[in-house]
Amino acid sequence: MSSRGSAAPAATDEPDLDVVTRIPLRKVIGNDVRNASVEHLNACNKAIAARQFDAGIAACQAAVNAWPDNHLAWYAWGSAHMAKSEWQKAREAVESLALQMLDQIAHKH
């Protein structure tokens, strides 16, 4: 048999992987949902700046409830808990943000 014959392909140690060829898009949200979340975020930031941390936390929570992908609201929520030395609650808010961002990165690659 010649070197160009129909010999079996060489075995490799590489795993068989499914390859994503199209990057999934983020979920589309309506302007009303986004605007409501941003309004709550603005109230959150205003309250935090005035050192009214409980009001800020409530407004940030409303922002996240309106639009869970509002990363700035998660960050501000964690910051308000940090200002109150509520470290576990701050950690939970920041971890939620980090997990969302990692999920988005994973879906882009």
Side-chain angles (χ1 to χ4, degrees), residues 69-101:
D69 287 340
N70 186 340
H71 299 141
L72 294 176
W74 283 104
Y75 180 77
W77 192 356
S79 296
H81 282 297
M82 286 181 215
K84 293 181 66 179
S85 298
E86 296 176 343
W87 304 114
Q88 185 59 37
K89 291 179 180 180
R91 179 180 178 165
E92 290 167 5
V94 173
E95 282 180 347
S96 293
L97 168 62
L99 290 173
Q100 285 183 16
M101 295 181 85

mmCIF file of all heavy atoms in Angstrom, residues 69-101:
data_model
loop_
_atom_site.group_PDB
_atom_site.id
_atom_site.type_symbol
_atom_site.label_atom_id
_atom_site.label_comp_id
_atom_site.label_asym_id
_atom_site.label_seq_id
_atom_site.Cartn_x
_atom_site.Cartn_y
_atom_site.Cartn_z
ATOM 1 N N ASP A 69 -29.650 42.303 35.696
ATOM 2 C CA ASP A 69 -28.342 42.498 35.053
ATOM 3 C C ASP A 69 -27.787 43.911 35.225
ATOM 4 O O ASP A 69 -26.810 44.267 34.577
ATOM 5 C CB ASP A 69 -28.427 42.174 33.557
ATOM 6 C CG ASP A 69 -28.543 40.674 33.301
ATOM 7 O OD1 ASP A 69 -28.189 39.881 34.194
ATOM 8 O OD2 ASP A 69 -28.999 40.296 32.213
ATOM 9 N N ASN A 70 -28.380 44.701 36.108
ATOM 10 C CA ASN A 70 -27.864 46.054 36.367
ATOM 11 C C ASN A 70 -26.657 45.925 37.289
ATOM 12 O O ASN A 70 -26.764 45.950 38.509
ATOM 13 C CB ASN A 70 -28.952 46.936 36.989
ATOM 14 C CG ASN A 70 -28.504 48.367 37.141
ATOM 15 O OD1 ASN A 70 -27.328 48.683 37.141
ATOM 16 N ND2 ASN A 70 -29.471 49.258 37.296
ATOM 17 N N HIS A 71 -25.481 45.785 36.690
ATOM 18 C CA HIS A 71 -24.256 45.546 37.453
ATOM 19 C C HIS A 71 -23.935 46.678 38.413
ATOM 20 O O HIS A 71 -23.449 46.444 39.520
ATOM 21 C CB HIS A 71 -23.080 45.316 36.504
ATOM 22 C CG HIS A 71 -23.274 44.131 35.624
ATOM 23 N ND1 HIS A 71 -22.892 44.106 34.309
ATOM 24 C CD2 HIS A 71 -23.849 42.922 35.870
ATOM 25 C CE1 HIS A 71 -23.203 42.933 33.784
ATOM 26 N NE2 HIS A 71 -23.777 42.214 34.696
ATOM 27 N N LEU A 72 -24.203 47.898 38.005
ATOM 28 C CA LEU A 72 -23.906 49.031 38.883
ATOM 29 C C LEU A 72 -24.764 48.994 40.143
ATOM 30 O O LEU A 72 -24.311 49.382 41.225
ATOM 31 C CB LEU A 72 -24.101 50.346 38.138
ATOM 32 C CG LEU A 72 -23.122 50.590 36.984
ATOM 33 C CD1 LEU A 72 -23.473 51.873 36.255
ATOM 34 C CD2 LEU A 72 -21.692 50.620 37.485
ATOM 35 N N ALA A 73 -25.997 48.510 40.037
ATOM 36 C CA ALA A 73 -26.860 48.402 41.210
ATOM 37 C C ALA A 73 -26.321 47.360 42.187
ATOM 38 O O ALA A 73 -26.325 47.577 43.398
ATOM 39 C CB ALA A 73 -28.285 48.071 40.781
ATOM 40 N N TRP A 74 -25.837 46.231 41.671
ATOM 41 C CA TRP A 74 -25.241 45.217 42.544
ATOM 42 C C TRP A 74 -24.019 45.789 43.260
ATOM 43 O O TRP A 74 -23.836 45.569 44.461
ATOM 44 C CB TRP A 74 -24.824 43.988 41.731
ATOM 45 C CG TRP A 74 -25.950 43.087 41.332
ATOM 46 C CD1 TRP A 74 -26.522 42.988 40.095
ATOM 47 C CD2 TRP A 74 -26.654 42.159 42.162
ATOM 48 N NE1 TRP A 74 -27.527 42.049 40.106
ATOM 49 C CE2 TRP A 74 -27.626 41.529 41.366
ATOM 50 C CE3 TRP A 74 -26.549 41.795 43.502
ATOM 51 C CZ2 TRP A 74 -28.481 40.544 41.857
ATOM 52 C CZ3 TRP A 74 -27.404 40.818 43.991
ATOM 53 C CH2 TRP A 74 -28.359 40.209 43.174
ATOM 54 N N TYR A 75 -23.200 46.499 42.529
ATOM 55 C CA TYR A 75 -21.986 47.088 43.102
ATOM 56 C C TYR A 75 -22.340 48.107 44.189
ATOM 57 O O TYR A 75 -21.767 48.103 45.273
ATOM 58 C CB TYR A 75 -21.150 47.736 41.997
ATOM 59 C CG TYR A 75 -19.887 48.354 42.492
ATOM 60 C CD1 TYR A 75 -18.781 47.568 42.802
ATOM 61 C CD2 TYR A 75 -19.778 49.729 42.660
ATOM 62 C CE1 TYR A 75 -17.613 48.133 43.271
ATOM 63 C CE2 TYR A 75 -18.613 50.303 43.120
ATOM 64 C CZ TYR A 75 -17.532 49.500 43.429
ATOM 65 O OH TYR A 75 -16.380 50.068 43.901
ATOM 66 N N ALA A 76 -23.299 48.978 43.905
ATOM 67 C CA ALA A 76 -23.713 49.984 44.885
ATOM 68 C C ALA A 76 -24.338 49.315 46.100
ATOM 69 O O ALA A 76 -24.123 49.751 47.245
ATOM 70 C CB ALA A 76 -24.686 50.978 44.242
ATOM 71 N N TRP A 77 -25.112 48.267 45.875
ATOM 72 C CA TRP A 77 -25.737 47.521 46.970
ATOM 73 C C TRP A 77 -24.654 46.987 47.911
ATOM 74 O O TRP A 77 -24.733 47.138 49.133
ATOM 75 C CB TRP A 77 -26.573 46.400 46.386
ATOM 76 C CG TRP A 77 -27.504 45.691 47.332
ATOM 77 C CD1 TRP A 77 -27.640 45.881 48.677
ATOM 78 C CD2 TRP A 77 -28.426 44.671 46.981
ATOM 79 N NE1 TRP A 77 -28.597 45.041 49.170
ATOM 80 C CE2 TRP A 77 -29.102 44.284 48.153
ATOM 81 C CE3 TRP A 77 -28.760 44.049 45.785
ATOM 82 C CZ2 TRP A 77 -30.086 43.300 48.173
ATOM 83 C CZ3 TRP A 77 -29.744 43.072 45.813
ATOM 84 C CH2 TRP A 77 -30.395 42.708 46.983
ATOM 85 N N GLY A 78 -23.639 46.375 47.339
ATOM 86 C CA GLY A 78 -22.520 45.880 48.142
ATOM 87 C C GLY A 78 -21.796 47.006 48.861
ATOM 88 O O GLY A 78 -21.435 46.873 50.038
ATOM 89 N N SER A 79 -21.612 48.129 48.195
ATOM 90 C CA SER A 79 -20.934 49.273 48.801
ATOM 91 C C SER A 79 -21.705 49.809 49.998
ATOM 92 O O SER A 79 -21.104 50.191 51.013
ATOM 93 C CB SER A 79 -20.748 50.391 47.771
ATOM 94 O OG SER A 79 -19.904 49.953 46.732
ATOM 95 N N ALA A 80 -23.024 49.857 49.905
ATOM 96 C CA ALA A 80 -23.843 50.339 51.024
ATOM 97 C C ALA A 80 -23.703 49.411 52.232
ATOM 98 O O ALA A 80 -23.597 49.876 53.373
ATOM 99 C CB ALA A 80 -25.302 50.454 50.596
ATOM 100 N N HIS A 81 -23.657 48.115 51.982
ATOM 101 C CA HIS A 81 -23.451 47.174 53.091
ATOM 102 C C HIS A 81 -22.050 47.329 53.679
ATOM 103 O O HIS A 81 -21.876 47.242 54.900
ATOM 104 C CB HIS A 81 -23.691 45.733 52.636
ATOM 105 C CG HIS A 81 -25.131 45.373 52.523
ATOM 106 N ND1 HIS A 81 -25.993 45.358 53.601
ATOM 107 C CD2 HIS A 81 -25.885 45.008 51.444
ATOM 108 C CE1 HIS A 81 -27.199 44.987 53.206
ATOM 109 N NE2 HIS A 81 -27.160 44.778 51.893
ATOM 110 N N MET A 82 -21.059 47.583 52.830
ATOM 111 C CA MET A 82 -19.706 47.807 53.337
ATOM 112 C C MET A 82 -19.665 49.036 54.243
ATOM 113 O O MET A 82 -19.014 49.029 55.291
ATOM 114 C CB MET A 82 -18.727 47.993 52.179
ATOM 115 C CG MET A 82 -18.386 46.734 51.443
ATOM 116 S SD MET A 82 -17.209 47.097 50.111
ATOM 117 C CE MET A 82 -17.748 45.950 48.882
ATOM 118 N N ALA A 83 -20.366 50.080 53.846
ATOM 119 C CA ALA A 83 -20.396 51.307 54.641
ATOM 120 C C ALA A 83 -21.003 51.055 56.017
ATOM 121 O O ALA A 83 -20.675 51.751 56.978
ATOM 122 C CB ALA A 83 -21.171 52.387 53.899
ATOM 123 N N LYS A 84 -21.878 50.056 56.117
ATOM 124 C CA LYS A 84 -22.498 49.710 57.393
ATOM 125 C C LYS A 84 -21.734 48.596 58.119
ATOM 126 O O LYS A 84 -22.190 48.096 59.146
ATOM 127 C CB LYS A 84 -23.943 49.240 57.160
ATOM 128 C CG LYS A 84 -24.881 50.322 56.673
ATOM 129 C CD LYS A 84 -26.291 49.787 56.497
ATOM 130 C CE LYS A 84 -26.835 49.398 57.873
ATOM 131 N NZ LYS A 84 -28.217 48.898 57.808
ATOM 132 N N SER A 85 -20.586 48.205 57.583
ATOM 133 C CA SER A 85 -19.779 47.093 58.114
ATOM 134 C C SER A 85 -20.554 45.781 58.134
ATOM 135 O O SER A 85 -20.320 44.919 58.978
ATOM 136 C CB SER A 85 -19.241 47.415 59.516
ATOM 137 O OG SER A 85 -18.394 48.537 59.465
ATOM 138 N N GLU A 86 -21.462 45.627 57.200
ATOM 139 C CA GLU A 86 -22.208 44.377 57.040
ATOM 140 C C GLU A 86 -21.489 43.533 55.987
ATOM 141 O O GLU A 86 -21.900 43.444 54.839
ATOM 142 C CB GLU A 86 -23.652 44.676 56.634
ATOM 143 C CG GLU A 86 -24.430 45.422 57.689
ATOM 144 C CD GLU A 86 -25.829 45.811 57.265
ATOM 145 O OE1 GLU A 86 -26.136 45.801 56.054
ATOM 146 O OE2 GLU A 86 -26.621 46.141 58.166
ATOM 147 N N TRP A 87 -20.398 42.945 56.413
ATOM 148 C CA TRP A 87 -19.457 42.322 55.487
ATOM 149 C C TRP A 87 -20.048 41.125 54.758
ATOM 150 O O TRP A 87 -19.802 40.957 53.558
ATOM 151 C CB TRP A 87 -18.177 41.950 56.228
ATOM 152 C CG TRP A 87 -17.597 43.157 56.907
ATOM 153 C CD1 TRP A 87 -17.484 43.358 58.249
ATOM 154 C CD2 TRP A 87 -17.113 44.351 56.279
ATOM 155 N NE1 TRP A 87 -16.948 44.608 58.492
ATOM 156 C CE2 TRP A 87 -16.704 45.238 57.303
ATOM 157 C CE3 TRP A 87 -16.986 44.773 54.957
ATOM 158 C CZ2 TRP A 87 -16.179 46.494 57.061
ATOM 159 C CZ3 TRP A 87 -16.455 46.025 54.703
ATOM 160 C CH2 TRP A 87 -16.056 46.875 55.741
ATOM 161 N N GLN A 88 -20.808 40.286 55.442
ATOM 162 C CA GLN A 88 -21.373 39.112 54.773
ATOM 163 C C GLN A 88 -22.387 39.530 53.704
ATOM 164 O O GLN A 88 -22.383 38.989 52.598
ATOM 165 C CB GLN A 88 -22.022 38.159 55.786
ATOM 166 C CG GLN A 88 -22.527 36.870 55.162
ATOM 167 C CD GLN A 88 -21.436 36.057 54.467
ATOM 168 O OE1 GLN A 88 -20.305 35.988 54.932
ATOM 169 N NE2 GLN A 88 -21.769 35.452 53.331
ATOM 170 N N LYS A 89 -23.233 40.496 54.016
ATOM 171 C CA LYS A 89 -24.216 40.969 53.037
ATOM 172 C C LYS A 89 -23.515 41.652 51.863
ATOM 173 O O LYS A 89 -23.944 41.509 50.709
ATOM 174 C CB LYS A 89 -25.216 41.902 53.692
ATOM 175 C CG LYS A 89 -26.143 41.192 54.658
ATOM 176 C CD LYS A 89 -27.110 42.159 55.304
ATOM 177 C CE LYS A 89 -28.035 41.435 56.272
ATOM 178 N NZ LYS A 89 -28.983 42.345 56.908
ATOM 179 N N ALA A 90 -22.449 42.395 52.153
ATOM 180 C CA ALA A 90 -21.675 43.030 51.079
ATOM 181 C C ALA A 90 -21.058 41.967 50.179
ATOM 182 O O ALA A 90 -21.105 42.073 48.952
ATOM 183 C CB ALA A 90 -20.580 43.915 51.676
ATOM 184 N N ARG A 91 -20.524 40.947 50.806
ATOM 185 C CA ARG A 91 -19.896 39.862 50.035
ATOM 186 C C ARG A 91 -20.910 39.181 49.126
ATOM 187 O O ARG A 91 -20.621 38.880 47.972
ATOM 188 C CB ARG A 91 -19.286 38.853 50.997
ATOM 189 C CG ARG A 91 -18.638 37.687 50.310
ATOM 190 C CD ARG A 91 -18.050 36.726 51.307
ATOM 191 N NE ARG A 91 -17.489 35.603 50.578
ATOM 192 C CZ ARG A 91 -16.670 34.740 51.111
ATOM 193 N NH1 ARG A 91 -16.301 34.846 52.366
ATOM 194 N NH2 ARG A 91 -16.205 33.748 50.389
ATOM 195 N N GLU A 92 -22.111 38.942 49.652
ATOM 196 C CA GLU A 92 -23.147 38.281 48.847
ATOM 197 C C GLU A 92 -23.525 39.114 47.625
ATOM 198 O O GLU A 92 -23.682 38.573 46.524
ATOM 199 C CB GLU A 92 -24.377 38.012 49.710
ATOM 200 C CG GLU A 92 -24.139 36.936 50.766
ATOM 201 C CD GLU A 92 -25.221 36.875 51.832
ATOM 202 O OE1 GLU A 92 -26.232 37.601 51.715
ATOM 203 O OE2 GLU A 92 -25.051 36.094 52.789
ATOM 204 N N ALA A 93 -23.646 40.420 47.799
ATOM 205 C CA ALA A 93 -23.987 41.287 46.663
ATOM 206 C C ALA A 93 -22.866 41.292 45.631
ATOM 207 O O ALA A 93 -23.114 41.168 44.426
ATOM 208 C CB ALA A 93 -24.272 42.706 47.148
ATOM 209 N N VAL A 94 -21.626 41.415 46.100
ATOM 210 C CA VAL A 94 -20.498 41.474 45.171
ATOM 211 C C VAL A 94 -20.278 40.121 44.496
ATOM 212 O O VAL A 94 -19.961 40.064 43.302
ATOM 213 C CB VAL A 94 -19.229 41.971 45.898
ATOM 214 C CG1 VAL A 94 -18.010 41.886 45.007
ATOM 215 C CG2 VAL A 94 -19.432 43.409 46.379
ATOM 216 N N GLU A 95 -20.482 39.031 45.234
ATOM 217 C CA GLU A 95 -20.358 37.706 44.609
ATOM 218 C C GLU A 95 -21.417 37.500 43.535
ATOM 219 O O GLU A 95 -21.136 36.913 42.493
ATOM 220 C CB GLU A 95 -20.461 36.602 45.666
ATOM 221 C CG GLU A 95 -19.194 36.408 46.452
ATOM 222 C CD GLU A 95 -19.310 35.316 47.503
ATOM 223 O OE1 GLU A 95 -20.441 34.864 47.810
ATOM 224 O OE2 GLU A 95 -18.260 34.927 48.035
ATOM 225 N N SER A 96 -22.638 37.983 43.782
ATOM 226 C CA SER A 96 -23.686 37.881 42.765
ATOM 227 C C SER A 96 -23.274 38.619 41.501
ATOM 228 O O SER A 96 -23.451 38.126 40.390
ATOM 229 C CB SER A 96 -25.001 38.448 43.294
ATOM 230 O OG SER A 96 -25.493 37.646 44.329
ATOM 231 N N LEU A 97 -22.702 39.797 41.685
ATOM 232 C CA LEU A 97 -22.212 40.579 40.544
ATOM 233 C C LEU A 97 -21.114 39.824 39.818
ATOM 234 O O LEU A 97 -21.143 39.691 38.593
ATOM 235 C CB LEU A 97 -21.695 41.935 41.028
ATOM 236 C CG LEU A 97 -20.887 42.762 40.035
ATOM 237 C CD1 LEU A 97 -21.730 43.110 38.814
ATOM 238 C CD2 LEU A 97 -20.367 44.019 40.698
ATOM 239 N N ALA A 98 -20.145 39.293 40.563
ATOM 240 C CA ALA A 98 -19.024 38.581 39.946
ATOM 241 C C ALA A 98 -19.501 37.358 39.175
ATOM 242 O O ALA A 98 -19.035 37.098 38.058
ATOM 243 C CB ALA A 98 -18.009 38.184 41.014
ATOM 244 N N LEU A 99 -20.438 36.617 39.737
ATOM 245 C CA LEU A 99 -20.954 35.429 39.048
ATOM 246 C C LEU A 99 -21.674 35.803 37.760
ATOM 247 O O LEU A 99 -21.548 35.113 36.749
ATOM 248 C CB LEU A 99 -21.873 34.635 39.973
ATOM 249 C CG LEU A 99 -21.175 33.932 41.136
ATOM 250 C CD1 LEU A 99 -22.201 33.328 42.087
ATOM 251 C CD2 LEU A 99 -20.207 32.878 40.632
ATOM 252 N N GLN A 100 -22.418 36.897 37.783
ATOM 253 C CA GLN A 100 -23.095 37.347 36.559
ATOM 254 C C GLN A 100 -22.079 37.729 35.494
ATOM 255 O O GLN A 100 -22.240 37.401 34.320
ATOM 256 C CB GLN A 100 -23.986 38.541 36.855
ATOM 257 C CG GLN A 100 -25.253 38.190 37.562
ATOM 258 C CD GLN A 100 -26.138 39.415 37.760
ATOM 259 O OE1 GLN A 100 -25.935 40.438 37.116
ATOM 260 N NE2 GLN A 100 -27.094 39.308 38.630
ATOM 261 N N MET A 101 -21.033 38.433 35.904
ATOM 262 C CA MET A 101 -20.027 38.865 34.934
ATOM 263 C C MET A 101 -19.281 37.663 34.369
ATOM 264 O O MET A 101 -19.014 37.607 33.166
ATOM 265 C CB MET A 101 -19.086 39.870 35.575
ATOM 266 C CG MET A 101 -19.814 41.161 35.943
ATOM 267 S SD MET A 101 -18.747 42.395 36.680
ATOM 268 C CE MET A 101 -18.124 43.149 35.181
#
